[in-house]
Amino acid sequence: MIVKIKNTSEHGLPAYETPLSAGVDLRANSTHPITLQPMERALVKTGFFLEIPAGYEAQVRPRSGLALKKGITVLNSPGTIDADYRGEIGVILINLSNESVTLENGERIAQLVFAKVEQATWEVTSDLSETERGAGGFGSTGIK
Ligand SMILES: O=c1ccn([C@H]2C[C@H](O)[C@@H](COP(=O)(O)OP(=O)(O)OP(=O)(O)O)O2)c(=O)[nH]1
């Protein structure tokens, strides 16, 4: 899939780190280090602008290493980048640890995964089909 990208960052293009990686890592593009106190959140800019083909979205997802080692995650995970969005890709990070965490310029803070999406056309009805599950949810099948 070809995706047009405008790179205003001081870093290279996001790259797939292994041949079958699902996501490309996004780097913080900031003139100064960003320090997040416990439970503090921030919008971190990337310097990238995309033109995603119709029928696709991009999802901003956390990096597991950053989550495990530093307690940093993507607050609105997965963030949704719409195909018609032409603004700068931003990453909303939150520090869920008990310590302040500093992220350096160029640090890999999240990953971007492209996915196909469908738009729904509503068919309004008062009569939905019956299923075995019915209205059961939220743990209705038990926890073990
Ligand atoms: O993590 C994110 C989430 C969103 N966006 C950008 C791209 C997306 O297309 C746009 C709008 O996102 P969303 O629909 O989640 O935000 P909203 O709060 O519903 O705002 P809007 O009213 O602008 O749709 O913001 C990002 O850069 N990073």
Side-chain angles (χ1 to χ4, degrees):
M1 177 179 61
I2 306 286
V3 178
K4 286 186 181 174
I5 184 167
K6 190 168 85 180
N7 182 7
T8 66
S9 80
E10 49 187 87
H11 313 293
L13 296 180
Y16 292 98
E17 298 286 337
T18 70
L20 296 182
S21 287
V24 290
D25 287 339
L26 294 172
R27 296 177 188 274
N29 189 55
S30 172
T31 50
H32 54 277
I34 298 158
T35 297
L36 293 178
Q37 302 301 326
M39 294 308 291
E40 188 179 0
R41 62 185 184 269
L43 175 63
V44 182
K45 301 291 186 63
T46 63
F48 296 120
F49 299 70
L50 303 181
E51 187 173 323
I52 300 170
Y56 291 84
E57 62 158 340
Q59 302 172 354
V60 182
R61 300 194 197 168
R63 294 191 67 216
S64 58
L66 207 53
L68 182 63
K69 290 177 192 155
K70 296 186 178 175
I72 297 288
T73 191
V74 176
L75 178 57
N76 58 330
S77 181
T80 303
I81 312 297
D82 302 285
D84 54 1
Y85 179 69
R86 295 293 177 269
E88 182 172 1
I89 307 301
V91 179
I92 306 170
L93 293 178
I94 185 164
N95 177 5
L96 297 182
S97 79
N98 293 321
E99 295 153 17
S100 76
V101 173
T102 298
L103 302 163
E104 304 294 335
N105 177 34
E107 192 165 338
R108 290 180 287 159
I109 51 169
Q111 58 185 316
L112 198 62
V113 175
F114 291 93
K116 285 186 179 173
V117 284
E118 298 275 348
Q119 282 191 336
T121 301
W122 301 118
E123 180 185 326
V124 178
T125 179
S126 56
D127 187 26
L128 301 177
S129 69
E130 289 187 9
T131 67
E132 193 175 318
R133 172 185 290 274
F138 312 100
S140 66
T141 62
I143 51 173
K144 286 189 179 172

